[in-house]
């Protein structure tokens, strides 16, 4: 039996009939040695009582955001900070909607917004509520935010209908909790990973620039995955509107030349991954004043080629052990990627089709082909997070032989 001794779970109970099952969940968690603190929503108090839950958990049960004594003993921020994991069960449609939009109008939603800990939700609701586009949208948002789902299961509901929406059983929620709390393997601990992301911005004059539509999402997802595997992660990013992933060392840049200099300054590294959509050209001579409309012919802007950061780093004396490039193509994706692999001198090309209708730029999903000297591997359509995790795991495996040789 896997022990949860030393682990602390904050259980947020929502107002649904499945709330009665949380007694059993608390009992199972206590049997494994976990400390369980509980928050009840107002609606949950209609289904279970603070007294019964306090008796099983052996701890005070929290209900009110505005209870002065609770704030003195343990404020809502402290409640979520002290936990290793937050579990929402049952996660009602209402609680899910609140979490997805960041509302905080009671103790439960405030604790959930104030946390930076992993969160597991066990949804439970009527099948029509579960299938409603609003709930589907909210659940997608929560998944994108990194929350993990247990269930819901298919089956008969308290309301007499049948379908998905039954809360996962306490032993299933316990299994998900154990999975989330078990120590993660960190194969990239002690390794340095440099990632470029986003577009570059090449100035024309003080107010205008040349750039592109890169959102940076894939590169940022890779940075998150690298941190999860324990790597020292440097993210050299052009201008994007994404939050900096926790644990990442961010190096903001604007132009291709700056991006190259920062990357060179970060060498040596074990792995370098170039996801940035670097502008191929910059204006040969940036105007120091805003270029005026003269009423004559429009100005011509002679361009000059930008450095190829990927090709330059691939041929550096301090070349990282693994260099990965991306190839965004609109046609003959695999063929061009294989050619790029040779031309740029990298070890792997992640090729994706950005042709019309592909939704790669700015979207959350990606279909990629992994091109290496060994051949081409087609990955199915996945979220950019899944592509990132799979790619980082693959790169960690590629580093392994070197680690073994060094031992
Ligand atoms: O040549 P192309 O732009 O298609 O190559 C794409 C790959 O090369 C990407 O990995 C991109 O980050 C990288 N690249 C670069 N510097 C450039 C152009 C592309 O690092 N100037």
């Amino acid at each position: 039996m896997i022990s949860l001794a030393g682990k602390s779970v904050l259980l947020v109970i929502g107002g649904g009939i499945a709330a009665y099952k949380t007694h059993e969940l608390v009992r199972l968690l206590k049997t494994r040695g976990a400390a369980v603190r509980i928050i009840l929503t107002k609606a949950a108090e209609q289904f279970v009582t603070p007294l019964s839950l306090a008796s099983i958990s052996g701890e005070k049960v929290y209900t009110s955001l505005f209870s002065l004594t609770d704030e003195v003993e343990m404020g809502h921020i402290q409640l979520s900070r002290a936990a290793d994991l937050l579990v929402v069960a049952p996660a009602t449609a209402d609680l899910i909607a609140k979490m997805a939009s960041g509302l905080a109008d009671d103790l439960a939603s405030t604790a959930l917004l104030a946390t930076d800990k992993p969160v597991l939700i066990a949804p439970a609701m009527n099948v029509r509520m579960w299938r409603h586009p609003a709930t589907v949208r909210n659940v997608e948002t929560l998944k994108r935010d990194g929350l993990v789902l247990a269930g819901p299961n298919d089956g008969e509901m308290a309301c007499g209908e049948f379908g998905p929406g039954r809360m996962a059983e306490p032993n299933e929620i316990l299994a998900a909790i154990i999975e989330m709390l078990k120590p993660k393997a960190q194969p990239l601990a002690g390794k340095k990973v440099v990632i470029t992301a986003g577009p570059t911005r090449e100035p024309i004059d003080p107010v205008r620039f040349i750039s592109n539509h890169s959102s940076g999402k894939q590169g940022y997802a890779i940075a998150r995955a690298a941190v999860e595997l324990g790597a020292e992660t440097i993210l050299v990013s052009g201008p994007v509107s994404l939050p900096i992933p926790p644990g990442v060392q961010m190096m903001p840049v604007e132009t291709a030349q700056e991006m190259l200099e920062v990357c060179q300054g970060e060498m040596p590294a074990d792995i370098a991954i170039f996801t940035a959509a670097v502008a191929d050209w910059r204006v040969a001579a940036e105007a120091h004043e805003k270029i005026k409309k003269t009423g004559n012919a429009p100005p011509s802007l002679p361009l000059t080629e930008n450095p190829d950061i990927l090709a330059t780093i691939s041929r550096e004396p301090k070349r990282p052990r693994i260099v990965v490039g991306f190839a965004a193509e609109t046609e003959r994706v695999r063929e061009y990627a294989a050619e790029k692999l040779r031309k740029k001198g990298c070890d792997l090309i992640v090729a994706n089709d950005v042709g019309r209708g592909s939704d790669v730029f700015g979207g959350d999903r990606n279909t990629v082909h992994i091109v290496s000297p060994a051949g081409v591997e087609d990955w199915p359509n996945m979220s950019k997070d899944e592509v990132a995790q799979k790619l980082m795991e693959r790169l960690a495996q590629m580093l392994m032989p070197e680690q073994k040789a060094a031992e």
Side-chain angles (χ1 to χ4, degrees), residues 274-276 278 280 307-310 325-326 340 344:
F274 296 91
T275 71
V278 182
D280 291 313
D308 191 313
I309 303 166
L310 165 59
F326 270 64
K340 201 158 286 179
K344 304 242 184 186

Side-chain angles (χ1 to χ4, degrees), residues 46-95:
Q46 304 292 323
F47 296 93
V48 285
T49 69
L51 183 62
S52 61
L53 287 158
S55 311
I56 305 171
S57 67
E59 303 244 9
K60 182 174 161 44
V61 171
Y62 299 83
T63 54
S64 171
L65 179 58
F66 301 110
S67 155
L68 195 61
T69 47
D70 286 0
E71 282 297 317
V72 172
E73 287 167 22
M74 169 149 316
H76 58 276
I77 306 285
Q78 191 52 29
L79 257 179
S80 49
R81 196 165 292 163
D84 297 298
L85 175 73
L86 275 68
V87 178
V88 187
T92 58
D94 178 66
L95 253 181

Side-chain angles (χ1 to χ4, degrees), residues 101 231 336:
S101 41
Y336 284 145

Side-chain angles (χ1 to χ4, degrees), residues 189-323:
K191 303 287 174 192
K192 182 173 177 179
V193 178
V194 175
I195 300 154
T196 70
T200 64
R201 192 178 268 185
E202 312 294 335
I204 297 171
D205 67 16
V207 298
R208 302 182 179 97
F209 55 80
I210 299 173
S211 192
N212 58 64
H213 287 303
S214 171
S215 67
K217 282 183 179 174
Q218 186 63 80
Y220 277 56
I222 291 173
R224 272 196 301 278
V227 169
E228 264 168 36
L229 296 191
E232 176 194 353
T233 306
I234 316 290
L235 181 57
V236 187
S237 174
V240 296
S241 47
L242 293 174
I244 302 171
V248 159
Q249 198 182 321
M250 170 75 165
M251 310 287 278
V253 296
E254 293 238 332
T255 66
Q257 282 170 304
E258 281 169 16
M259 192 174 263
L260 175 62
E261 277 161 33
V262 171
C263 286
Q264 284 174 319
E266 289 299 333
M267 294 300 125
D270 298 284
I271 300 175
I273 307 166
F274 296 91
T275 71
V278 182
D280 291 313
W281 306 282
R282 65 178 182 277
V283 175
E286 179 192 345
H288 293 298
E289 306 295 340
K290 184 180 170 190
I291 301 171
K292 294 274 182 237
K293 270 191 283 190
T294 58
N296 302 327
S300 64
L301 295 171
L303 301 177
T304 184
E305 202 156 323
N306 264 332
D308 191 313
I309 303 166
L310 165 59
T312 310
I313 299 285
S314 281
R315 300 195 167 99
E316 288 251 326
K318 288 190 220 162
R319 182 193 196 277
R321 159 90 173 73
I322 300 174
V323 177

